[in-house]
Amino acid sequence: MGLFTVLLGASLPLIDFFIVNVALPAIETDLHAGAALLELVVAGYGVAYAVLLVLGGRLGDSFGRRRLFLAGMAAFGLTSLACGLAPDAWVLVGARIAQGASAALMLPQVLATIHSATSGHRRAKALSLYGATAGLSMVAGQVLGGILVAADIAGTGWRAVFLVNVPVAAAGLLLALRSVPETRSDRPAPVDRPGTLLLAVSLVTLLAPLTEGRAAGWPAWTWASLAVFPFAALAFFLVERRADRAGRVPLVPPSLFALTGMRRALPLLVPFCIGFGGFMFVIAVALQQGLRYGPVEAGATLVPMAVAFFAASLAGPRLVGRYGGRVVTAGGVLQAVGIAVLVPTVLRGWDSGLTPWALLPGVAIAGFGQGLQLPVLFRLVLADVPAERAGVGSGVMITTQQSALALGVATLGTLFLSLAPSHGTRDAVVAVLVVQLAAVAGTALLSLRLPRHVA
């Protein structure tokens, strides 16, 4: 029951990153929100979430992971209620930022609790289930969002995609009080204030202009922000390295990257999540605005991806025991095949009215490939992390994942939205798929460096 409860907590923040994609057209109509505000609804959550994740992991190490999990779950329920009751777009943006901060308190405790409370085969199984939950949540978010918007429960419309979190969070709180064990680091480190500030500046100066720039017309502040980013990132690295060498515990210890799993598997999460986040955003917008799908039909189109991902996740642990890191390579090849199938499908069928059935083969094959990759990458990243560093290790991994998802929405989403007016929605979708195909090919090649044995 404890594992089920923390996995429930892990699913909520990931579902809410994607659930809003399908609801954006309804939010635009109801709140009279322009493109810039709509992107803030997505970006505000993602940036706050990414910026505070490592800090959330550190606080859990110091004050107790169960305590922070409970606080994050309660705050997530309250901020979801605020999102669902928002009277205008700016209040919704503010509530989404607070919701992202709440998620950053809750999610790092999940992996840290698994890492410190389990070992051996039980840990491997729990991490595989976490990977499966993460992937399914990202796909299921848009499926569930389409159903809730179309159902218009009690006239709530798009608000239901946020209000549904309230009873789920309440149930999660009750379960966590009874079943989640309290764990914390034996040697908790104080909060690294300079590191926290510089990491926040680095992520905000990168993600904020990329997500808002196109909609805002690329004003001067976006270019100034991007110019600051490399200096902030370099300063963050130098400050963290100095603290690490001085024997202190920085927010992100550079020595952590000496571990084989961190060094080899963590970089693979970046192109994987950039492609995943960008694809999910683009497909939601393209199907609804380009093909005039309703929210249910747009969400249902991704059901084969969710089913295939789940099947691959179930098969993954057995395959990993036999083939190790090569499972990631095979998953990358299958994902590339799925995307390669989607490209001619979109080119040939778009103008005649592309149906979900036509998209099914490519979407299902890509989903199966993704399901072979993500759970194994999670296991590999954390395989060598000692228990006393479980919080910071999981925080680094989830920050990388979340930042890459947000970066995917920003970059591939901007590419799509920039090309669609001049080249048409079909060609814009194809361009995004080709870029994603290149990223998947690179991931598959890099995966050859992964160890054949997975702990």
Side-chain angles (χ1 to χ4, degrees), residues 30-337:
D30 189 35
L31 298 184
H32 309 291
L37 274 177
L38 286 176
E39 292 198 10
L40 269 178
V41 171
V42 178
Y45 177 87
V47 172
Y49 186 14
V51 163
L52 296 172
L53 273 166
V54 179
L55 178 61
R58 173 64 60 84
L59 292 174
D61 286 348
S62 299
F63 298 107
R65 292 154 189 151
R66 178 176 180 268
R67 180 180 299 176
L68 267 292
F69 181 82
L70 290 169
M73 180 75 80
F76 193 84
L78 291 173
T79 53
S80 296
L81 180 64
C83 289
L85 299 178
D88 58 56
W90 280 111
V91 172
L92 178 59
V93 169
R96 282 284 282 174
I97 292 171
Q99 191 186 34
S102 303
L105 281 182
M106 177 170 56
L107 190 57
Q109 319 316 326
V110 175
L111 277 173
T113 299
I114 289 173
H115 200 71
S116 59
T118 61
S119 60
H121 176 71
R122 289 184 65 229
R123 180 186 293 175
K125 182 179 179 182
L127 287 174
S128 294
L129 287 171
Y130 174 85
T133 300
L136 278 173
S137 299
M138 291 188 285
V139 180
Q142 290 189 194
V143 177
L144 178 62
I147 293 171
L148 289 172
V149 172
D152 193 23
I153 302 168
T156 53
W158 61 267
R159 298 177 187 275
V161 304
F162 301 114
L163 295 176
V164 71
N165 293 329
V166 178
V168 176
L173 275 173
L174 293 175
L175 289 171
L177 285 168
R178 298 180 58 184
S179 62
V180 175
E182 180 64 280
T183 62
R184 68 182 71 201
S185 175
D186 293 332
R187 297 189 298 274
V191 172
D192 175 13
R193 292 185 179 88
T196 301
L197 177 62
L198 286 170
L199 177 62
V201 172
S202 300
L203 291 176
V204 169
T205 53
L206 175 65
L207 295 176
L210 288 178
T211 51
E212 278 296 294
R214 186 205 63 83
W218 297 106
W221 73 264
T222 59
W223 299 109
S225 181
L226 288 172
V228 168
F229 165 70
F231 297 101
L234 177 61
F236 172 69
F237 170 74
L238 293 176
V239 165
E240 297 299 274
R241 185 177 66 176
R242 182 183 302 170
D244 208 13
R245 288 177 175 177
R248 300 191 298 272
V249 184
L251 188 71
V252 180
S255 58
L256 203 64
F257 296 93
L259 302 173
T260 302
M262 278 282 178
R263 188 176 66 253
R264 295 188 180 181
L266 189 66
L268 297 185
L269 271 181
V270 176
F272 179 91
C273 291
I274 286 175
F276 198 111
F279 173 82
M280 297 298 284
F281 176 79
V282 167
I283 202 70
V285 174
L287 293 180
Q288 291 187 92
Q289 295 186 357
L291 293 177
R292 303 301 175 189
Y293 280 22
V296 172
E297 193 176 13
T301 301
L302 297 175
V303 168
M305 178 179 282
V307 172
F309 190 105
F310 183 66
S313 299
L314 292 179
R318 186 170 62 255
L319 294 172
V320 168
R322 186 170 180 181
Y323 301 107
R326 292 297 177 266
V327 174
V328 177
T329 308
V333 171
L334 281 173
Q335 186 184 0
V337 169

